[in-house]
Structure formats: C-alpha cells, structure tokens
C-alpha cells in the first residue's frame, strides 16, 4: 500500500474480505496504528538492527513494524504479538532465516517498552518541517503529535442536532456537529437507515456553514463528491448543483443523497471548464494533499510527496480562477481544503485576490457558526488544526486540519 499509494480503507477492504467483523476491526487497528507511529517505529528498528535488513527481506521489516506497533501501542498481549509475528516471518522460505532475529528484537521491545523509542516524529520529516515553518516550532511539533492520535467520530445532523446528540449519547459541539467515541460500526447507529445524519469531521462541516445556506439560494458545489457539504447545503434548503469530475465518486454522492432523502442536481464535469451559472454562491472544496486528515487516514502522511502538493496547488489555482466567473456580482465564494499546507490554503487565496481585484475577503468572525477565535487567522480565514478543541479526555479532542476562506464578489 505504501508503494502503490492506494488508500488504507480500500486496501483493507480488499485484503480482509471474508473475515469476521471482529477480525477485520483488529486488522484495521493494527494497520492504522503501525502507520500512525511509522516514524518512531522505523527509528526504533534502525536503532535495534545495527546491520539493517537486506532489501530482499523487506517483508521481515514490515512484520517487525506491525509486531512492534502491537506491543507498544495496542492492548494485544506481548506474547501473542511476538508469537504471531515470528510465525509469519517463518512462513515464507525467503524470510524464514530471520525467525531468530525477529524473536530477539520483539522480545527486547516487549521487555523494555516505549523507553526504547527514539525521539523522532511519527510523521515524515518534510511534513513536520513544513508545519514548523507554517505554525512555529512549538505548534508545528504539537500538530505532528496530535496527528498520531485516533480521531473521534463526528456526525452532521440533517435536522435537530441537539435532539440527535441526545438520542445517540453524543456530545453536541458549539458548531452543531455531534461527537462520539468508540461508536463501532457506524451503519448500525440509530438513524443511519432513516438518513438522519452523515459522518463528517466537525472542521469539514465549517466551509458550508460559512455560506449561510438557506431556501431561495442557488449554490454550485464544484468538487462535491461524496457529498458531505452538498448535503449540508441541501438540508438547509438551498438549491444545489453538485459538480464533480469523478463518475464513481458521484455514484457515491447519489447514494448518499438517496439515503438522506435530499434532492440535488448532479453534474459530471471538469469544474475548471464548467459552463453554468452565475450562482448566488460557489463552494470549492478542492482536491488537496489531505494532510489535515492524517488522524483518520494515516497512510496520507507516507503516500504523499512534495511534488503532489505542487501539482494539486496548480489544479486549485485553475479551479479558483474559473469559479470566479461562476459567481454572480455580489455573490460569495468559499474555498476550502483539508490540508495543513499553506500552499493549498492561505497562499492560494492570497494569489487569487491579487489576480482578481473584484473579490475581497468576507472575514469570519469569532462565534459565527460556533467558530472559536483560535480557529480564525489574522486575515479572517478559518484555519483549524488537530490541536484545536482540546479535551481532558483525549478521545474527544481535536479537529481535522482545514482551511476555508470566504470571498465576496463586488
Ligand atoms: C475534497 S474532495 C470533495 C469532498 C466533498 N466536498 C465532501 O464534502 O464530501 C475533492 C473532489 O474534487 C473532485 N475533483 C477533482 N478535480 C476536479 C475537477 N477538475 N472538477 C471537478 N471535480 C474535481 C474529486 O473527484 C473529489 O471528489
């Protein structure tokens, strides 16, 4: 998966087909924990294996990472983690010769525990350096640490959020999202089949709120699938034109709207060439590196490279430039990304405003839509971080890293 760049969920879906739900859950947890802690775990193996592992036995390294993750970060009994890993190493002729080594390394990790972990970040260095440059050394490192934690489950209610929070025993956040921990299988939660809510990180719900959607407004959602923000706009009564260039993703959007019983116009198109509008409001929830979602998708940290950020930023620039023409005079444009990288957020908007003097920021104000002052930057844009929304109980803490700017056309 790390080589192919395929998403973790997709890979697990394929590899665990046919397993019982409990075993699938355990496999998911082992894989996600290994990826969340990959930086530290790799450093640990480098320190313990003075001579390294030959390239032809890469599988041994992967098994050791997975074994160490279970010993150091999961409730799996040490003897079980050691035993399973060593027998997997012994299963293939090409790696069987490393059984003794695997046994010795894992037993040492079990004996000495987390004290053995080197003082290195769990996220790739180039990303940590970028966050340190963007947010300062203290906050940048705190962001990297917060991204290694598991995220809670946030839901957006189609109707009365307070009533739904009570029904599900969840916590109602100031922005209207509902936060649950240890929810298990989401499709088994009350109200799923009835279309009363959908899964959406609390920060991901902010861009649509900034438009103050209401009946009588026509809104183009230019990068709409799978439809989290489309659903918010439609549930508020707006007429929504949901555009996306991916047919499979639009099929998911369609299924989601059917479950939620929401009607939207669906258009399969490249939004950089779309001929439509002008609209009262346009939302661009642009494709991005998704580094703000590493808590939920830990593979993102290891499957993205600096060149991806540059090419995504170029696409974002084109999307913004074309969207400018789709907004009617006096209308509003919200641009958002689930990225922590300023190239995909703050700098994108700065460049757009320099090139489009008919647009200006419509700053977000503290308290608007329940948005805390801490989540708003000096320019009046939303910049959430995984360190935001702290809580005594870490299972309830954090937000995805999101950027959202609201711009008004003269
Ligand atoms: C961040 S996701 C959108 C998530 C969605 N707004 C939500 O809240 O559920 C970005 C989407 O942009 C779409 N996309 C990428 N390039 C596009 C383009 N040129 N035109 C239209 N859609 C595009 C992708 O297919 C993807 O579905």
């Amino acid at each position: 998966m790390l080589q192919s760049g395929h998403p973790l969920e997709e890979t697990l879906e394929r590899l665990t087909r046919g397993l019982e739900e409990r075993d699938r859950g355990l496999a998911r947890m082992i894989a996600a924990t290994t990826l969340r802690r990959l930086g530290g775990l790799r450093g640990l193996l480098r320190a313990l294996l003075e001579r390294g592992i030959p390239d032809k036995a890469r599988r041994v390294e992967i098994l050791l990472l997975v074994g160490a993750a279970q010993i150091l970060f999961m409730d799996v009994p040490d003897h079980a983690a050691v035993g399973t890993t060593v027998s997997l190493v012994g299963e293939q002729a090409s790696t069987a010769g490393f059984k003794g080594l695997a046994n010795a390394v894992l037993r040492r990790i079990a004996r000495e525990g987390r004290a053995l972990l080197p003082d290195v970040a769990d996220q790739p260095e180039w990303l940590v350096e970028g966050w340190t440059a963007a947010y300062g050394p203290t906050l940048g490192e705190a962001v990297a640490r917060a991204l290694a934690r598991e995220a809670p489950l946030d839901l957006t209610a189609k109707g009365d959020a307070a009533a739904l929070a009570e029904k599900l025993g969840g916590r109602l956040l100031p922005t209207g999202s509902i936060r649950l921990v240890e929810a298990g299988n989401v499709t088994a939660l009350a109200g799923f089949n009835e279309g009363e809510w959908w899964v959406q990180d609390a920060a991901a719900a902010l861009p649509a709120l900034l438009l103050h959607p209401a009946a009588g407004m026509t809104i183009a959602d230019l990068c709409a699938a799978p439809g989290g923000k489309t659903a918010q706009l439609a549930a508020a009564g707006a007429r929504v034109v949901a555009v996306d260039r991916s047919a499979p993703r639009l099929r998911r959007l369609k299924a989601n709207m059917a479950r939620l019983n929401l009607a939207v116009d669906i258009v399969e198109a490249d939004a950089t060439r779309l001929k439509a509008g002008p609209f009262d409001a346009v939302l661009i929830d642009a494709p991005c590196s998704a580094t703000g979602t590493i808590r939920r998708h830990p593979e993102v940290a290891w499957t993205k490279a600096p060149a991806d950020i540059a090419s995504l930023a170029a696409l974002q620039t084109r999307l913004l430039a074309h969207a400018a023409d789709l907004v009617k005079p006096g209308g509003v444009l919200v641009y958002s990304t689930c990225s922590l990288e300023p190239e995909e957020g703050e700098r994108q908007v700065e460049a757009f405003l320099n090139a489009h003097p008919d647009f200006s920021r419509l700053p977000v104000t503290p308290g608007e839509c329940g948005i805390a002052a801490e989540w708003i930057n000096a320019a009046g844009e939303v910049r959430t971080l995984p360190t935001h929304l702290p809580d005594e109980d870490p299972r309830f803490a954090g937000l995805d890293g999101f950027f959202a700017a609201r711009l008004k056309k003269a």
Side-chain angles (χ1 to χ4, degrees):
M1 186 199 67
L2 290 177
Q3 277 155 11
S4 70
H6 287 149
L8 174 64
E9 280 306 320
E10 209 180 286
T11 310
L12 281 169
E13 177 64 37
R14 187 166 47 79
L15 295 178
T16 64
R17 213 167 278 154
L19 289 186
E20 278 185 26
E21 192 49 44
R22 234 181 91 231
D23 294 336
R24 290 169 73 118
L26 179 61
R28 178 176 297 113
M29 186 55 83
I30 292 173
T33 306
T34 308
L35 289 165
R36 275 197 187 102
R37 303 292 180 172
L38 196 57
L41 290 171
R42 277 186 173 158
L44 170 65
L45 289 192
R46 265 196 309 274
L48 293 185
L49 298 165
E50 278 159 22
R51 281 186 289 148
I53 290 179
D55 276 347
K56 66 175 175 43
R58 269 295 144 246
R59 187 167 173 273
V60 177
E61 186 190 356
I62 293 168
L63 289 169
L64 286 177
L65 290 168
V66 165
Q70 292 171 75
I71 294 168
L72 296 175
F73 301 110
M74 291 179 65
D75 281 340
V76 178
D78 290 351
H79 65 86
V82 177
T84 325
T85 310
V86 171
S87 77
L88 284 168
V89 170
E91 232 173 38
Q92 289 189 2
S94 62
T95 56
F98 292 91
K99 262 179 90 172
L101 176 85
N103 190 39
V105 166
L106 291 175
R107 277 177 188 277
R108 172 145 184 227
I109 294 172
R111 226 173 25 247
E112 297 184 41
R114 292 192 195 181
L116 271 182
L117 282 170
D119 186 21
V120 298
D122 282 316
Q123 313 298 340
E125 255 171 51
W126 70 277
L127 281 174
V128 182
E129 275 167 19
W131 302 329
T132 301
Y135 308 114
T138 311
L139 188 52
E141 277 170 31
V143 162
R145 269 195 307 279
L147 286 171
R149 284 198 285 271
E150 207 180 332
L153 176 71
D154 290 346
L155 308 178
T156 300
K158 184 179 168 192
D160 184 342
L164 185 64
E166 200 174 324
K167 175 158 135 181
L168 295 175
R171 190 185 280 191
L172 182 64
L173 301 183
T175 54
S177 289
I178 297 151
R179 182 157 283 190
L180 302 171
V181 293
E182 290 170 7
N185 178 6
V186 289
T187 60
L189 287 175
F192 177 82
N193 289 326
E194 296 74 19
E196 291 174 15
W197 50 262
W198 57 99
V199 173
Q200 185 176 44
D201 183 86
L206 302 178
L209 296 181
L210 296 183
L211 289 169
H212 294 282
M217 284 171 82
T218 301
I219 305 177
D221 184 355
L222 293 186
C223 297
K229 298 172 189 69
T230 302
Q232 284 178 280
L233 303 172
R239 195 189 139 228
V240 187
V241 180
V243 182
D244 204 284
R245 76 171 170 195
S246 157
R249 289 176 65 91
L250 277 178
R251 280 198 287 279
R252 279 176 60 204
L253 179 141
K254 203 169 168 188
N256 287 336
M257 296 310 127
R259 178 178 69 83
L260 297 168
N261 196 19
L262 291 169
V264 302
D265 295 342
I266 298 176
V267 178
E268 184 186 328
D270 178 344
T272 62
R273 296 153 194 256
L274 181 73
K275 292 201 172 35
F279 300 95
D280 299 317
V282 171
L283 174 63
I284 313 175
D285 185 34
C288 70
S289 63
T291 51
T293 69
I294 287 173
R295 294 179 313 155
R296 298 177 194 284
H297 306 288
E299 76 280 16
V300 162
W302 302 98
T303 54
K304 289 281 182 323
D308 296 318
I309 294 187
S311 67
L312 285 160
L315 172 58
Q316 292 152 7
T317 305
R318 293 209 307 280
L319 283 163
L320 263 164
H322 188 70
D325 295 334
L326 304 180
V327 182
K328 72 179 191 194
V332 174
L333 171 64
V334 164
Y335 169 80
S336 64
T337 52
C338 57
S339 164
L340 288 162
E341 319 312 311
E343 298 90 321
E344 300 183 277
E346 291 83 347
R347 287 199 213 138
Q348 229 13 287
V349 168
E350 238 169 73
F352 174 81
L353 290 175
N354 284 336
H356 297 82
D358 50 337
F359 278 85
S360 57
R361 288 190 188 86
L362 194 55
V364 181
T365 49
E368 181 184 345
C369 309
I371 296 173
E374 199 198 352
W375 312 349
I376 304 173
N377 66 18
E381 299 156 342
V382 171
R383 161 54 77 200
T384 59
L385 299 173
T387 49
H388 287 158
L389 216 62
D391 198 274
E392 277 175 5
D393 181 346
R395 297 172 313 153
F396 276 98
L399 285 176
D400 275 359
F402 243 89
F403 172 83
R406 182 171 52 193
L407 312 170
K408 192 173 169 66
K409 191 169 184 175

